Amino acid sequence: MKQDLLAEADAAQPPRTEQLGAQTFVLRGFALPQVDALLPELRAVLAASPFRRMVTPGGFTMSVALSNCGALGWTTDLAGYRYSDRDPHSGAPWPMLPEAMRTLAIAAAAEAGFADFDPDACLVNRYVPGAKMSLHQDRNERDYSQPVVSVSLGLPAMFLWGGQQRSDRPQRVPLLHGDVMVWGGVDRLRFHGVLALKEGRHPVMGPQRINFTLRRAG
Ligand code: SIN
Ligand code: FE2
């Protein structure tokens, strides 16, 4: 009897994994069991390399503030986008990639069919209400055979999942606290972005969205 009820409850749940492309998946709530382990790791990373707003090669200050951990960190300035093994603010190496983040990303990649993910870079993005990220490709990495694993915490965001061309009309994908997105393979260079974050206050994260994205950069 109990079994039947449980089976019915399961059937009523929306699918936990959504497929957005041949090799693109949203793993709903995949990070939720790890949030308690991730938050102290994030705090330690940000104590060593605090969020800062960087300037694009075109001279615009990004609305999203960022930091990094791992052997390589993504940076931008007037000279261009690149990965660097040092935090340009401190001159010191970026903080090490913490264990729970790394384990989560490898598990999410495996769930999406990428068994050999070996991340060496984790970009941490902070969105406050109004912050957005315009359509772009992730193409500063050396090896496109490795996927991108993107973890969302805090306020919901409307993610734009585009195509191979900038002009392809993107699908709108709401990303919630604990969702993990994985894309790679034939979808590795698809355009994507994030609409301006709406006002709000998340019960765990407060008035912000934190996204961290793990990649193999070097
Ligand atoms: C990014 O493309 O680096 C950020 C994606 C996101 O914030 O969900
Ligand atoms: Fe990106």
Side-chain angles (χ1 to χ4, degrees):
M1 178 61 190
K2 186 137 188 276
Q3 287 284 311
D4 289 352
L5 285 175
L6 285 175
E8 270 173 45
D10 277 349
Q13 296 286 318
R16 299 294 284 165
T17 299
E18 292 167 26
Q19 187 164 8
L20 302 184
Q23 290 181 282
T24 307
F25 299 87
V26 182
L27 311 177
R28 295 289 179 195
F30 192 84
L32 286 178
Q34 311 309 328
V35 169
D36 287 349
L38 294 170
L39 291 182
E41 291 187 349
L42 266 177
R43 271 196 289 277
V45 166
L46 295 169
S49 284
F51 282 126
R52 78 292 304 268
R53 289 173 65 194
M54 290 188 177
V55 176
T56 66
F60 295 99
T61 300
M62 293 177 67
S63 57
V64 173
L66 63 83
S67 180
N68 286 281
C69 51
L72 294 170
W74 186 87
T75 66
T76 173
D77 60 20
L78 291 174
Y81 304 124
R82 64 187 164 282
Y83 279 96
S84 157
D85 60 4
R86 308 230 151 212
D87 178 340
H89 278 208
S90 64
W94 296 104
M96 272 175 48
L97 181 58
E99 205 44 51
M101 282 190 202
R102 182 185 165 78
T103 307
L104 172 69
I106 290 172
E111 188 76 16
F114 300 96
D116 303 318
F117 187 39
D118 186 15
D120 62 2
C122 177
L123 170 64
V124 188
N125 291 310
R126 175 179 197 246
Y127 297 72
V128 293
K132 62 182 162 55
M133 194 169 292
S134 45
L135 277 184
H136 66 278
Q137 293 169 296
D138 289 2
R139 56 181 312 151
N140 300 121
E141 299 76 29
R142 192 166 292 159
D143 178 3
Y144 296 148
S145 74
Q146 294 262 314
V148 176
V149 175
S150 169
V151 180
S152 294
L153 296 177
L155 288 176
M158 192 59 84
F159 187 81
L160 300 175
W161 184 236
Q164 307 288 351
Q165 310 291 329
R166 184 180 294 278
S167 57
D168 292 340
R169 177 192 284 270
Q171 344 174 16
R172 291 177 171 220
V173 185
L175 291 182
L176 309 180
H177 182 68
D179 290 347
V180 180
M181 228 184 121
V182 183
W183 68 88
V186 295
D187 291 331
R188 178 61 177 73
L189 290 177
R190 282 175 67 169
F191 280 85
H192 57 278
V194 178
L195 291 184
L197 197 77
K198 294 219 169 93
E199 295 283 345
R201 173 170 285 275
H202 187 271
V204 177
M205 303 300 292
Q208 60 177 348
R209 169 179 186 255
I210 305 278
N211 163 264
F212 55 91
T213 302
L214 291 97
R215 307 185 182 86
R216 180 81 201 179

